[in-house]
Amino acid sequence: MNDRIRGFDGLRALAVLLVFLHHKAMAEGSGLGHLGVWIFFALSGFLITDILTSQRRYIDAGTSSFAAELKRFLYRRTLRIFPIYYLLLATLALMIAIGFAGHDVLAGVPFHFAYLSNFWIADVLHHWPGRYSHLWSLSIEEQFYLVFAPLLLAVRAKWHVPICCALCMMGIAALIGMKAVHAPAIVIYTHPLTNFWLLALGGIGGALLRRGAAFRRCVKPLPVALALVICVAMLCSVEPAWEAIASPLRFTALYVLYGASIMALVCSIASGESAALIRVLEWAPLAALGRISYGFYLYHGFIPNFTKSNRIIAMFGASGIPWWAHALSAIASFVLTLTLAKLSWRFIEEPILRLKNRRFTRKTESSEASPSALSR
């Protein structure tokens, strides 16, 4: 695959904007945030599976070893993900220590450092912890890498798609089982198995796009891409109501349809045939946001939502906060997050990426993407 897939940076930007709107634009009850995260998961599975399959082919050809390729993968992932993530957590820990942040979040810091935020949220807190909520998806990503990379590198490349299929089946079974035993919605939402399957599905989509001429013909026309956009938007609009569905099979069927639609949309864009849609996604400001979207995603939760401060609430009194104040708050949060993400990219991420690419890039490897590697 090409080093850069046209349209993917724009898709990353749209995904991170959906998450931002969910948290900052009074859209907490919507499905926007979940859609944004699932787009990232599908992108990540699509690209990471291709990278691991390419690496395994070197092992199959006898020109490399399992240890060397695993080291290569983990080294590159570490350089992409860890620096600003742990810098942020270290800053947070320091702020707690000197009294500039509440000690109510202290218990969660070890979970964040160990990439176990999803378990902290679902099994310890049992509720969303506000500005730290988005860290759950970064934990899912890291857990996926630690399981998936050794597994795919340990077996021949021809078995990678069957392994992805098996992981999808496990995820679907987990969805049915958790719903059947009335697991809390937050557990279903954040459990590794109920999210790994979408990353694996992205990997299957990438394989089908590369090897399946019939699948490529199905997803590449512009009308198909637009139909998938409409389908995903419609499913997103009704997703919050799925929690009330009693039937485990119906609940799971909707989730599978949702995930499959997202995967098909990613594949449609990757096919490069939907020129009009790709031109929109390649719009310079959108693509630029996509390139810095990891930092944007990571930092946005820690930028204040100004209309939730007690001072602002008291200012407007019983009449409530007007819509324009919420809009101004969202704009201010966006500008601050964007500025921080740009500075992070310019002075931390980009120099480290140059080091990563200089030491471990092969021409046959594709670019990488995820909620924790949202841009290359």
Side-chain angles (χ1 to χ4, degrees), residues 141-339:
E141 283 279 344
E142 190 63 23
Q143 292 158 20
F144 181 76
Y145 295 150
L146 292 176
V147 171
F148 204 59
L151 179 60
L152 290 197
L153 291 175
V155 301
R156 288 188 172 274
K158 67 179 182 179
W159 292 106
H160 287 187
V161 171
I163 287 173
C164 287
C165 291
L167 194 53
C168 285
M169 293 299 102
M170 290 172 61
I172 292 170
L175 281 168
I176 295 172
M178 289 184 187
K179 190 65 177 178
V181 299
H182 308 291
I186 197 168
V187 173
I188 297 175
Y189 195 100
T190 60
H191 196 278
L193 281 179
T194 57
N195 289 282
F196 281 6
W197 75 274
L198 185 60
L199 288 116
L201 189 63
I204 294 170
L208 288 174
L209 196 64
R210 289 187 297 274
R211 306 174 194 172
F215 179 75
R216 176 179 284 272
R217 285 195 299 270
C218 287
V219 300
K220 71 179 183 179
L222 178 60
V224 172
L226 295 179
L228 288 168
V229 169
I230 294 170
C231 179
V232 168
M234 291 177 62
L235 289 168
C236 175
S237 68
V238 298
E239 188 212 352
W242 296 352
E243 185 179 337
I245 296 175
S247 168
L249 291 178
R250 185 184 171 203
F251 173 83
T252 302
L254 286 169
Y255 261 80
V256 171
L257 176 62
Y258 197 17
S261 299
I262 293 170
M263 180 272 284
L265 179 59
V266 168
C267 291
S268 180
I269 294 168
S271 72
E273 300 293 335
S274 303
L277 180 59
I278 290 175
R279 278 198 298 271
V280 172
L281 294 174
E282 285 290 295
W283 182 47
L286 206 59
L289 177 58
R291 284 189 290 273
I292 63 171
S293 52
Y294 173 40
F296 191 100
Y297 183 91
L298 182 60
Y299 301 135
H300 87 277
F302 298 94
I303 300 299
N305 192 338
F306 300 102
T307 53
K308 289 187 176 180
S309 73
N310 292 331
R311 183 176 298 178
I312 297 297
I313 293 172
M315 180 188 302
F316 289 100
S319 61
I321 300 173
W323 68 268
W324 58 263
H326 288 298
L328 287 176
S329 173
I331 292 170
S333 295
F334 179 83
V335 171
L336 288 172
T337 306
L338 184 64
T339 301

Side-chain angles (χ1 to χ4, degrees), residues 3-248:
D3 187 57
R4 178 180 178 274
I5 298 178
R6 296 182 70 246
F8 272 19
D9 279 338
L11 189 58
R12 292 185 188 101
L14 292 178
V16 82
L17 285 173
L18 289 171
V19 176
F20 178 85
L21 290 173
H22 180 91
H23 291 143
K24 302 296 184 181
M26 304 302 292
E28 288 91 346
S30 72
L32 295 180
H34 203 191
L35 173 57
V37 169
W38 271 27
I39 290 173
F40 282 130
F41 284 172
L43 278 168
S44 182
F46 183 99
L47 293 166
I48 293 298
T49 304
D50 180 53
I51 289 170
L52 291 169
T53 300
S54 297
Q55 289 187 243
R56 176 62 212 193
R57 290 196 179 107
Y58 285 98
I59 302 173
D60 291 344
T63 58
S64 188
S65 66
F66 170 83
E69 294 305 320
L70 183 61
K71 178 183 176 182
R72 173 188 296 274
F73 179 82
L74 294 179
Y75 179 88
R76 295 187 64 180
R77 290 290 80 217
T78 296
L79 285 181
R80 181 64 190 103
I81 299 168
F82 283 10
I84 63 171
Y85 180 80
Y86 282 113
L87 178 61
L88 180 68
L89 291 184
T91 303
L92 173 63
L94 178 62
M95 291 175 66
I96 293 172
I98 63 178
F100 281 99
H103 284 267
D104 56 317
V105 300
L106 184 61
V109 171
F111 289 88
H112 302 322
F113 269 92
Y115 277 101
L116 296 173
S117 303
N118 54 326
F119 291 107
W120 178 60
I121 290 169
D123 300 322
V124 178
L125 288 184
H126 309 294
H127 64 81
W128 294 106
R131 66 183 60 186
Y132 310 96
S133 298
H134 65 300
L135 298 181
W136 77 272
S137 62
L138 305 183
S139 296
I140 290 289
E141 283 279 344
E142 190 63 23
Q143 292 158 20
F144 181 76
Y145 295 150
L146 292 176
V147 171
F148 204 59
L151 179 60
L152 290 197
L153 291 175
V155 301
R156 288 188 172 274
K158 67 179 182 179
W159 292 106
H160 287 187
V161 171
I163 287 173
C164 287
C165 291
L167 194 53
C168 285
M169 293 299 102
M170 290 172 61
I172 292 170
L175 281 168
I176 295 172
M178 289 184 187
K179 190 65 177 178
V181 299
H182 308 291
I186 197 168
V187 173
I188 297 175
Y189 195 100
T190 60
H191 196 278
L193 281 179
T194 57
N195 289 282
F196 281 6
W197 75 274
L198 185 60
L199 288 116
L201 189 63
I204 294 170
L208 288 174
L209 196 64
R210 289 187 297 274
R211 306 174 194 172
F215 179 75
R216 176 179 284 272
R217 285 195 299 270
C218 287
V219 300
K220 71 179 183 179
L222 178 60
V224 172
L226 295 179
L228 288 168
V229 169
I230 294 170
C231 179
V232 168
M234 291 177 62
L235 289 168
C236 175
S237 68
V238 298
E239 188 212 352
W242 296 352
E243 185 179 337
I245 296 175
S247 168

